[in-house]
Amino acid sequence: MINIEKVRADFKILNQEVNDKPLIYLDNAATSQTPRQVIQALSHYYENDNANVHRGVHTLSTRATDAYEAARAKVARFIGARVTSEVIFTRGTTTALNLVCNSYGEANIQPGDEIVISYLEHHSNLIPWQQLAKRKGAVLKYIDLEKDGTISEEKANIAITEKTKIVAIAHVSNVIGSITPIKEIAALAHKHGAVIVVDGAQAVPHLKVDVQALDVDFYAFSGHKMLGPTGSGALYGRRELLENMDPSEFGGEMIDFVELYDSTWKELPWKFEAGTPIIGGQIALGAAIDYIENIGIETIHQHEIALNEYALAEMQKIDGVTIYGPLEADKRCGLVTFNLEGVHPHDVATVLDEERIAIRAGHHCAQPLMKWLETSSTARASFYLYNTKEEITAFIDGLKLTREYFGL
Ligand code: 7TS
């Protein structure tokens, strides 16, 4: 059980009024809030250790480098990487996925090869592959979804063939919250000699992720959705693959020797980190991992399931509510995407904001999924460790009020 009162005391931002009532923040899938301990890690770095990494021999530079590399070791342990050098720091999921696409994809995709993604991908895990397929004359194939919007092993098995070279899918959907059977799909990809790239933006903050147990080749996630600062995040890559990949960004920090007409690269992971990295941000991501581990990722997951179970049950009692995705709370992470018949999702979000409740409305950067769901946009409430049952009750009351407001 989470000691919610104690946790909430760490998030000053939650302790404020919006429209004269205490803020209820249910937009965690877009970005999570940042606890005092993480902000302190960031300010400690700037107040004490700020210097560029891997460059100077002076004391501050050594301290900054040590703290930056310690954060990498923390990330590696948190996601179960074999060695620390399998973790490349990136600005977040989008940058990580583009790195795989521009490095691995660029070198390994030939005309006629197939890249398999799914209808539920966030644009970050769709457009890079779409553009790569166009550049290379490769085929972009979509895994069809089950009736409840989930990706199943069966449907993946239809899409993945001998021609497949890359399978790129989300571990958890940012729209319907469903959990994809990654381990099974990774086995399918490997059976056909393909690599699997996982978009873990909505999984790492909420689920225990072990890249070795899942047996995945690449795994991307963002720090800002897991209590860390914006600009932090990482790409996990299997060492054998990373070692054989060329960088897709070039400049300082990533080179070994530079001559007039050729250059050599540093060893892993630094050959993929061109330029001055987001040093303080990644150190603060390490503090966010400490915070999560102090509570326990499994405890956080169970808390979200309980909140979602309550939300799903109460929402189904309201006339005109359509909930997207599976209705079983244990098949999801803590978010619920829905529409209220007769009310545009932006209007739902506006009325709820007047009631001090922050949710998101729109296409959630997943336009092909919106089409598949036969809608143009939806409303989404997403929960995290600091949300309470009372807040969900207020959200449900807000939905009822919205219906009344629109005369329904
Ligand atoms: N993949 C998924 C599944 C996501 O949910 C997001 C962000 C991204 C990739 C991109 O992450 P970034 O940190 O690189 O921007 N999703 C959302 C969302 O659902 N609402 O706002 C951002």
Side-chain angles (χ1 to χ4, degrees):
M1 284 275 279
I2 298 179
N3 182 341
I4 295 274
E5 231 171 90
K6 187 163 170 277
V7 164
R8 290 182 71 92
D10 293 329
F11 293 83
K12 187 166 177 284
I13 196 167
L14 297 176
N15 186 21
Q16 65 174 292
E17 299 206 330
V18 167
N19 295 323
D20 303 323
K21 283 173 245 140
L23 164 69
I24 296 179
Y25 186 77
L26 302 181
D27 194 18
N28 294 286
T31 199
S32 58
Q33 297 304 345
T34 318
R36 177 171 47 85
Q37 291 82 341
V38 173
I39 298 168
Q40 275 170 358
L42 196 58
S43 55
H44 178 93
Y45 165 73
Y46 279 109
E47 285 174 3
N48 297 279
D49 306 330
N50 183 39
N52 215 325
V53 290
H54 307 133
R55 290 183 191 203
V57 289
H58 64 78
T59 302
L60 291 197
S61 176
T62 308
R63 263 197 244 142
T65 304
D66 288 350
Y68 182 68
E69 292 304 327
R72 192 193 307 276
K74 236 175 242 180
V75 170
R77 191 179 32 73
F78 187 60
I79 60 166
R82 285 166 206 85
V83 285
T84 302
S85 60
E86 290 184 317
V87 172
I88 298 155
F89 277 136
T90 66
R91 266 199 303 120
T93 309
T94 305
T95 321
L97 293 169
N98 275 279
L99 193 166
V100 181
C101 187
N102 294 333
S103 253
Y104 184 86
E106 199 61 43
N108 289 284
I109 292 295
Q110 310 293 333
D113 285 348
E114 291 178 358
I115 301 166
V116 172
I117 64 171
S118 87
Y119 285 109
L120 60 65
E121 301 313 315
H122 185 283
H123 295 161
S124 296
N125 196 34
L126 189 163
I127 306 169
W129 307 115
Q130 180 192 72
Q131 296 302 307
L132 177 70
K134 278 175 71 170
R135 283 200 301 278
K136 295 285 182 175
V139 178
L140 187 64
K141 263 173 93 176
Y142 284 81
I143 300 175
D144 201 359
L145 304 177
E146 295 291 344
K147 281 200 185 70
D148 63 0
T150 55
I151 303 176
S152 66
E153 190 185 346
E154 290 71 28
K155 292 279 202 271
N157 196 21
I158 297 168
I160 300 170
T161 69
E162 296 305 317
K163 288 188 175 170
T164 307
K165 291 290 181 298
I166 295 173
V167 177
I169 44 172
H171 196 168
V172 171
S173 160
N174 68 313
V175 178
I176 60 169
S178 55
I179 303 168
T180 304
I182 292 295
K183 192 176 171 176
E184 289 73 13
I185 297 174
L188 276 176
H190 292 152
K191 193 173 94 183
H192 293 288
V195 297
I196 182 162
V197 184
V198 181
D199 170 354
Q202 299 292 345
V204 176
H206 309 285
L207 287 178
K208 175 69 200 147
V209 169
D210 183 324
V211 291
Q212 283 189 68
L214 294 171
D215 198 22
V216 293
D217 300 300
F218 298 100
Y219 197 104
F221 63 97
S222 303
H224 71 95
K225 294 185 198 285
M226 51 183 289
L227 313 180
T230 49
S232 66
L235 171 71
Y236 159 82
R238 201 189 282 277
R239 186 163 57 173
E240 307 85 89
L241 293 171
L242 292 177
E243 269 171 355
N244 289 313
M245 280 158 57
D246 277 326
S248 51
E249 279 195 335
F250 305 93
E253 301 259 355
M254 51 78 67
I255 50 88
D256 210 356
F257 293 104
V258 177
E259 297 193 57
L260 286 184
Y261 300 104
D262 209 355
S263 303
T264 54
W265 319 135
K266 263 191 188 160
E267 58 187 338
L268 284 180
W270 303 294
K271 74 171 176 180
F272 291 109
E273 293 180 9
T276 301
I278 299 154
I279 306 163
Q282 307 293 16
I283 292 170
L285 171 60
I289 290 175
D290 288 341
Y291 194 93
I292 290 172
E293 286 190 324
N294 248 332
I295 293 170
I297 188 77
E298 186 52 33
T299 307
I300 293 172
H301 185 51
Q302 292 307 324
H303 176 72
E304 288 181 23
I305 290 180
L307 290 180
N308 217 11
E309 200 158 31
Y310 175 58
L312 289 167
E314 292 302 308
M315 287 172 78
Q316 286 177 79
K317 293 180 193 161
I318 303 173
D319 283 342
V321 168
T322 302
I323 296 170
Y324 300 97
L327 290 173
E328 301 90 334
D330 61 356
K331 287 194 178 166
R332 308 160 156 258
C333 282
L335 67 83
V336 53
T337 288
F338 62 97
N339 264 318
L340 211 50
E341 196 182 356
V343 190
H344 193 278
H346 279 122
D347 293 333
V348 177
T350 305
V351 176
L352 288 180
D353 183 56
E354 279 168 24
E355 292 298 306
R356 89 310 197 174
I357 301 167
I359 66 159
R360 179 161 180 201
H363 55 60
H364 313 287
C365 302
Q367 287 183 10
L369 179 59
M370 291 296 119
K371 208 166 172 188
W372 192 91
L373 294 170
E374 296 179 343
T375 183
S376 59
S377 60
T378 67
R380 179 187 70 188
S382 50
F383 319 128
Y384 210 7
L385 71 170
Y386 34 68
N387 290 122
T388 65
K389 191 175 173 193
E390 291 70 32
E391 289 182 321
I392 310 291
T393 305
F395 161 66
I396 299 291
D397 290 344
L399 291 184
K400 291 177 184 161
L401 191 83
T402 308
R403 277 179 55 79
E404 280 168 29
Y405 188 89
F406 284 90
L408 298 165

